[in-house]
Amino acid sequence: MDQPFTIGGLTLRTDMRPADWAMATARNFSDNVVGCLVPPIFAAYARVFHPALREDGERTEEVSWAEVADANGRLTHPAMQWPSITGSWRFLFSDHQPGLWDTPPREGSLPVRQAARLARILAAYTVIPEQCWFAVWEGFGGLGLPVENEEIPRMEMPARSMLLLSGPLSAATTSLSEPSWLDQRAGLWWPRDRAWCVATDVDLMTTYVGGTDECIATLVADDELEVMKVSADHRLGWDGDSLNPPPAGQRP
């Protein structure tokens, strides 16, 4: 490219060296654990739950996983999975539970309010919030990036080929899709000092963060996010919930 490609506050990069550390340390995708998404080099890890939504007249309200679990007689715990706390596979991407929730948690992209809140908290845990790296899966539909240009290097994370961008931490809320209402944000972001790392896989309804013990404790204690502490060995799949019964039948 003759000129740098920018979108919002982010600039597309062709030098992959800032991402070498993540590509070199992430675990094999077949392990199906947090360490496949967030490099297993941090002192502590957290799981950020994407909220479901409830339509109340003209208002839209967020519904926590804890509220859904309690209403369905299920247990709230760090490894809970959406099909297990709702009791049915059909609630994965459609349908609803009247009066409880109308739209399931967003899959593959951290909702904008949660992204903004997470960025504000994490700003205190890096000395250079103005210099961060962001990676987005090249397979997202509607990306407003030159994904067809094979000359642009990719960040090769386990089972995910990603485009690398840079910008200030505040750009974590930037939608990289066109039209912007598709709302597809970067799935991996970290500051230049690698003090923490955030990952949202394209197939998951939750986001994972690695950082210091203090950083993760702050996230867990925050009353504007639904966060629970996990480990780098925390399982990612629907079968990771060992406390709630799995839904009957086969996953569609």
Side-chain angles (χ1 to χ4, degrees):
M1 295 182 296
D2 295 332
Q3 298 294 328
F5 185 92
T6 62
I7 184 167
L10 298 175
T11 301
L12 185 64
R13 298 301 180 185
T14 57
D15 183 354
M16 294 296 107
R17 285 177 295 179
D20 283 348
W21 72 282
M23 292 187 285
T25 56
R27 290 175 57 173
N28 191 289
F29 202 72
S30 62
D31 292 345
N32 200 32
V33 295
V34 170
C36 304
L37 306 178
V38 182
I41 61 173
F42 294 98
Y45 295 81
R47 185 183 185 194
V48 182
F49 295 85
H50 303 179
L53 300 176
R54 178 172 53 231
E55 304 295 334
D56 183 12
E58 296 182 355
R59 295 179 54 197
T60 299
E61 300 176 337
E62 293 183 354
V63 183
S64 70
W65 287 46
E67 183 180 346
V68 173
D70 184 64
N72 287 301
R74 302 301 202 270
L75 296 174
T76 298
H77 66 107
M80 60 182 166
Q81 293 291 336
W82 187 252
S84 295
I85 65 171
T86 58
S88 176
W89 289 113
R90 76 177 188 274
F91 294 136
L92 267 181
F93 310 113
S94 61
D95 213 331
H96 64 288
Q97 292 186 291
L100 181 57
W101 60 271
D102 298 293
T103 304
R106 184 168 182 82
E107 183 184 63
S109 187
L110 182 63
V112 65
R113 190 192 71 77
Q114 280 70 24
R117 179 60 180 169
L118 190 57
R120 285 196 295 271
I121 295 172
L122 293 176
Y125 293 94
T126 174
V127 297
I128 41 177
E130 300 82 10
Q131 299 178 31
C132 293
W133 296 95
F134 301 82
V136 59
W137 180 49
E138 68 173 3
F140 262 151
L143 277 185
L145 298 170
V147 296
E148 302 300 326
N149 188 339
E150 297 181 356
E151 295 181 359
I152 299 175
R154 265 53 169 178
M155 178 182 177
E156 298 297 342
M157 290 296 284
R160 301 286 184 251
S161 186
M162 312 180 85
L163 295 163
L164 186 65
L165 305 97
S166 66
L169 179 53
S170 58
T173 59
T174 301
S175 175
L176 298 170
S177 61
E178 291 184 348
S180 60
W181 56 260
L182 284 174
D183 207 25
Q184 294 170 333
R185 265 170 289 287
L188 192 66
W189 32 295
W190 68 92
R192 196 178 74 175
D193 60 6
R194 306 176 195 168
W196 44 258
C197 183
V198 178
T200 309
D201 187 70
V202 296
D203 288 331
L204 299 182
M205 294 175 163
T206 56
T207 290
Y208 294 92
V209 185
T212 64
D213 288 320
E214 181 183 3
C215 173
I216 297 304
T218 300
L219 291 178
V220 172
D222 187 69
D223 59 5
E224 294 187 34
L225 297 171
E226 186 177 22
V227 184
M228 293 188 184
K229 188 175 181 179
V230 295
S231 72
D233 294 319
H234 169 91
R235 288 191 58 77
L236 300 173
W238 304 120
D239 60 350
D241 191 340
S242 61
L243 298 184
N244 293 306
Q250 295 293 318
R251 178 187 172 187

